[in-house]
Amino acid sequence: MIYGIGTDICDIRRIRATLERKGDRFAEKVLGATELRVFQYRRHRSESRGIAYLATRFSAKEAFSKAIGMGLHMPMTWRSCEILNHPSGQPFIRLHGELAAWFDARRLSAHVTLSDESEQAVSFVVVETLSAPRAP
């Protein structure tokens, strides 16, 4: 059963401007540890791809916060929600700390997709309730 749906569109130029104004502090505030390493690697190889990566993660976290219905209020924090990729490239959500415990207690599962073009990043998240285990 669907618990919630969230979507977000992000102007990559706005993310670029914020990064220029605040420096790496902005990325460190938004990204979890694994995401931050990927961002730094991608940005080192290509500034524009690094910024697009940051924008897609920002957008996906906004969409996730909408799907769970709490916005950016505890236990939802930027760094407690990471948007990572399987080796195939498929994105997935990894939660940490209090947010992970809150999510697990409600038996929820999340699905995320994201995309970017030269000036925009978009994401879509569906959160569903896992069905109860069947009795033997």
Side-chain angles (χ1 to χ4, degrees):
M1 170 176 271
I2 292 179
Y3 181 88
I5 298 172
T7 189
D8 189 75
I9 187 165
C10 178
D11 188 329
I12 295 174
R13 295 169 297 189
R14 185 176 135 236
I15 297 297
R16 181 180 293 110
T18 303
L19 193 57
E20 289 170 359
R21 193 171 58 253
K22 296 188 176 196
D24 285 348
R25 286 187 335 245
F26 176 65
E28 292 164 359
K29 176 183 176 183
V30 171
L31 301 175
T34 305
E35 292 171 316
L36 190 58
R37 285 192 298 277
V38 174
F39 165 70
Q40 290 166 341
Y41 173 77
R42 289 189 181 189
R43 189 175 180 201
H44 176 73
R45 292 188 54 161
S46 167
E47 181 76 12
S48 64
R49 290 308 303 153
I51 293 171
Y53 178 85
L54 177 58
T56 56
R57 273 50 195 176
F58 182 92
S59 176
K61 292 174 189 208
E62 287 277 344
F64 178 76
S65 72
K66 294 170 185 176
I68 61 173
M70 67 176 52
L72 286 167
H73 299 286
M74 287 300 286
M76 174 61 193
T77 66
W78 291 111
R79 296 188 54 141
S80 64
C81 174
E82 288 191 292
I83 313 303
L84 304 172
N85 295 86
H86 291 294
S88 66
Q90 178 188 21
F92 69 95
I93 297 174
R94 179 182 294 157
L95 304 176
H96 304 283
E98 291 179 41
L99 181 58
W102 179 91
F103 198 76
D104 291 344
R106 286 158 182 75
R107 297 189 38 80
L108 301 176
S109 176
H111 309 279
V112 61
T113 187
L114 34 98
S115 186
D116 64 275
E117 282 296 329
S118 60
E119 296 177 355
Q120 295 180 330
V122 65
S123 60
F124 187 78
V125 173
V126 174
V127 173
E128 63 180 334
T129 305
L130 297 173
S131 59
R134 294 181 183 197

